[in-house]
């Protein structure tokens, strides 16, 4: 089945630094990648949607200059948290979907990245 | 705007019980409905995908049903085991033809020995 590999699984960084999270679709071409944020005991909150080769679409209230998304190829999308602050500490999850997958196969999620900013 | 609700929010049962998790959605114009499992600190694992033309899907001890007209889906877990303890989420793609998923509020399940 479709697999999305997400790295790192956890990261601790100092306040003010930037962190990059990668998501790779291993056996399918992810034409669209979704990035979510999840707070403890809450459901997933969609941050942005990225389509391969074009700019990401951000949800209302999400700072596009803080959360940089790149989807330069059909198998790789990255989320960079720039100038991270403690309030950015959260669990970030990506989800990929390929052409035709939305209807026929559903969505595949990465294993998540626990970001802690100290 | 699609709204997805799951009942109950939390459930604790003894091992071996059969149980039902409920998911309701307000906009019945859906392509499919997907059930996921999330373990603490982990990503989402897809359990079952039900197409809009289907009424149910089965995988092992799991059975999911879909009633579009009433805006409901149920996930039935037979002979529950401690390893089934997790949060279960249902999700539907948005009705506008886009790719966004709307998630339910989740049911936190604990199966005790």
């Amino acid at each position: 089945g479709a697999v999305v590999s997400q790295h790192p699984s956890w990261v601790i960084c100092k306040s003010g630094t930037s962190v990059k999270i990668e998501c790779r679709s291993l056996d399918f071409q992810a034409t669209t990648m979704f990035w979510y944020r999840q707070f403890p005991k809450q459901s997933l909150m969609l941050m942005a949607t990225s389509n391969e080769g074009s700019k990401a679409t951000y949800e209302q209230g999400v700072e596009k200059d803080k959360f940089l998304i790149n989807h330069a190829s059909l198998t790789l999308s990255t989320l960079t948290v720039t100038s991270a602050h403690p309030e950015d500490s959260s669990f970030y999850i990506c989800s990929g979907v390929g052409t035709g997958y939305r209807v026929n196969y559903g969505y595949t999620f990465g294993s998540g990245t626990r970001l802690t900013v100290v | 705007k699609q709204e997805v609700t799951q009942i109950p929010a939390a459930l604790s049962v003894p091992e071996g019980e059969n149980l039902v998790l409920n998911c309701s959605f307000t906009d019945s114009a859906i392509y499919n409905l997907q059930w996921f499992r999330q373990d603490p600190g982990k990503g989402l694992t897809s359990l079952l995908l039900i197409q809009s033309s289907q009424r149910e899907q089965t995988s092992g001890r799991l059975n999911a049903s879909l009633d579009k007209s009433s805006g409901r889906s149920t996930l039935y877990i037979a002979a529950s085991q401690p390893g089934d303890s997790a949060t279960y989420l249902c999700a539907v793609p948005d009705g506008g033809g886009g790719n966004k998923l709307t998630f339910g509020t989740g049911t936190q399940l604990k199966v005790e020995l």
Side-chain angles (χ1 to χ4, degrees):
Chain A
V3 175
V4 172
S5 177
Q6 183 171 348
H7 294 280
S9 56
W10 60 270
V11 58
I12 301 173
C13 71
K14 291 185 177 181
S15 186
T17 62
S18 295
V19 173
K20 180 184 284 188
I21 301 170
E22 289 190 353
C23 277
R24 294 180 183 272
S25 56
L26 299 186
D27 50 5
F28 72 103
Q29 293 183 326
T31 51
T32 303
M33 195 74 81
F34 302 91
W35 287 92
Y36 296 86
R37 182 174 182 175
Q38 187 177 34
F39 292 102
K41 297 190 181 297
Q42 295 187 24
S43 193
L44 281 70
M45 180 190 78
L46 180 65
M47 298 174 64
T49 303
S50 71
N51 293 299
E52 184 265 337
S54 60
K55 290 184 178 181
T57 302
Y58 291 81
E59 296 299 301
Q60 192 172 9
V62 178
E63 299 177 62
K64 61 180 181 181
D65 293 331
K66 167 170 269 301
F67 300 101
L68 301 179
I69 292 173
N70 183 284
H71 193 168
S73 78
L74 287 171
T75 59
L76 175 64
S77 178
T78 61
L79 167 68
T80 301
V81 183
T82 63
S83 187
H85 292 285
E87 57 265 31
D88 298 325
S89 298
S90 189
F91 192 61
Y92 294 87
I93 311 176
C94 63
S95 172
V97 62
T99 301
Y101 270 70
R102 171 175 62 91
V103 175
N104 298 320
Y105 303 105
Y107 296 73
T108 302
F109 284 78
S111 54
T113 298
R114 169 72 58 194
L115 170 63
T116 302
V117 184
V118 297
Chain B
K1 177 185 175 184
Q2 178 75 271
E3 292 183 4
V4 184
T5 306
Q6 289 183 245
I7 295 173
L11 183 62
S12 182
V13 300
E15 182 180 14
E17 273 204 8
N18 301 324
L19 50 98
V20 176
L21 308 182
N22 298 291
C23 171
S24 61
F25 45 94
T26 55
D27 185 350
S28 61
I30 60 172
Y31 290 95
N32 55 42
L33 183 144
Q34 200 164 357
W35 280 93
F36 296 93
R37 166 186 175 142
Q38 185 176 30
D39 293 284
K42 303 293 184 182
L44 274 65
T45 300
S46 179
L47 297 174
L48 289 164
L49 172 70
I50 311 176
Q51 302 295 342
S52 59
S53 58
Q54 299 174 322
R55 292 193 65 83
E56 66 178 81
Q57 277 284 347
T58 298
S59 176
R61 295 182 293 108
L62 305 179
N63 176 278
S65 67
L66 175 64
D67 184 344
K68 276 185 61 176
S69 60
S70 66
R72 293 179 183 176
S73 175
T74 60
L75 178 66
Y76 177 81
I77 303 177
S80 58
Q81 303 171 358
D84 295 331
S85 299
T87 296
Y88 291 81
L89 296 160
C90 63
V92 294
D94 70 34
N99 283 327
K100 295 181 184 180
L101 274 182
T102 299
F103 282 91
T105 45
T107 293
Q108 188 172 3
L109 172 65
K110 183 176 182 181
V111 181
E112 300 174 321
L113 289 168

